[in-house]
Amino acid sequence: VCSSDLFTEGPAVNSRGEVFFVDVPGGRIHKIALDGTVSLFVENSPGISGLMLGPDGKLYGCQGGNQQIVRYDEQGREEVVLTGTTSNDLVVLADGTGYYTDPKNKTVWRFTTDGEKSKADVGIERPNGITASPDQTLITVSDTFGRFTYSFQRQADGSLTHKQTYGHLHLGDKAQRSGADGMAVDTEGRLYVTTNTGLQILDQLGRVHLILDK
């Protein structure tokens, strides 16, 4: 569809079913309309990755090139939410609370759409993808350098507690790292994790039921 793009990722879908995705090195966001046509939604967004629609209908993303969390309205106008961030992926929940991964500092951060942030977890070797359960009570983070994802219980104040390994990912015969990256969940609570061996699909108990070979 967009053969000129060097590295695309971070798909996000709005309430109308339109799909947005990024070209990271190109610093662009593209939109796929309901009829399948692709258009340029945003340009000159350096290092943009990890898109997510917020409860306000705006498109949030990790703008790595400028070390910012940003959001865009329907016309593609940019607004800065946070500055001084090293981020890779994010999730924004219905109450306006968000979380983003910071692989460089082995940290998961909590933030609000009003521009406040605080540390939610430290210690995952390389936190990368992040997603929420359908009821938004659980947050799951992938570890690119490990063979597990990590699950947290989300508290009323937005803090993350009861951290535990979750989802024993399959590795190649000689691999030491899963390469786990972006994730998604479906309405039944199944977790989809992109890894070096393919797209691994886990049930609610964290068992891999299927691997779609890349």
Side-chain angles (χ1 to χ4, degrees):
V1 175
C2 291
S3 59
S4 63
D5 291 335
L6 300 176
F7 176 44
T8 59
E9 65 152 34
V13 184
N14 65 17
S15 60
R16 293 190 294 272
E18 297 166 324
V19 178
F20 301 83
F21 65 95
V22 302
D23 166 17
V24 179
R28 297 187 293 265
I29 302 175
H30 298 277
K31 182 172 84 170
I32 305 176
L34 299 182
D35 63 0
T37 58
V38 181
S39 61
L40 181 63
F41 179 65
V42 169
E43 58 182 343
N44 193 27
S45 185
I48 189 69
S49 66
L51 301 180
M52 176 67 67
L53 270 296
D56 52 7
K58 294 182 179 180
L59 185 66
Y60 288 72
C62 299
Q63 196 179 72
N66 290 333
Q67 296 192 349
Q68 298 179 148
I69 301 292
V70 296
R71 61 186 168 215
Y72 296 94
D73 64 15
E74 291 189 353
Q75 287 71 47
R77 292 184 293 245
E78 180 182 295
E79 181 181 4
V80 176
V81 180
L82 293 173
T83 59
T85 64
T86 51
S87 58
N88 179 80
D89 198 1
L90 54 71
V91 62
V92 185
L93 306 183
D95 64 359
T97 301
Y99 301 89
Y100 68 89
T101 55
D102 177 358
K104 179 180 178 181
N105 296 299
K106 303 180 181 181
T107 302
V108 178
W109 293 84
R110 171 185 175 271
F111 74 97
T112 70
T113 54
D114 294 328
E116 299 178 356
K117 70 174 183 177
S118 59
K119 287 184 180 180
D121 178 73
V122 178
I124 298 174
E125 185 65 21
R126 191 167 181 80
N128 193 325
I130 186 167
T131 192
S133 60
D135 63 4
Q136 302 194 345
T137 61
L138 301 174
I139 298 294
T140 304
V141 178
S142 66
D143 178 12
T144 303
F145 286 174
R147 66 179 309 155
F148 295 96
T149 62
Y150 287 83
S151 178
F152 301 85
Q153 290 185 19
R154 180 172 172 263
Q155 303 303 309
D157 63 358
S159 62
L160 299 181
T161 63
H162 303 291
K163 177 183 180 180
Q164 62 178 347
T165 56
Y166 168 80
H168 189 281
L169 300 173
H170 290 249
L171 307 182
D173 291 342
K174 297 182 180 180
Q176 298 297 317
R177 299 172 174 176
S178 66
D181 199 321
M183 299 187 297
V185 295
D186 63 21
T187 55
E188 300 298 321
R190 287 180 290 258
L191 180 67
Y192 298 73
V193 187
T194 56
T195 71
N196 289 338
T197 59
L199 179 65
Q200 303 196 35
I201 303 174
L202 290 66
D203 64 16
Q204 290 185 354
L205 298 178
R207 300 172 297 193
V208 175
H209 280 209
L210 180 67
I211 301 176
L212 301 179
D213 191 351
K214 59 182 180 179

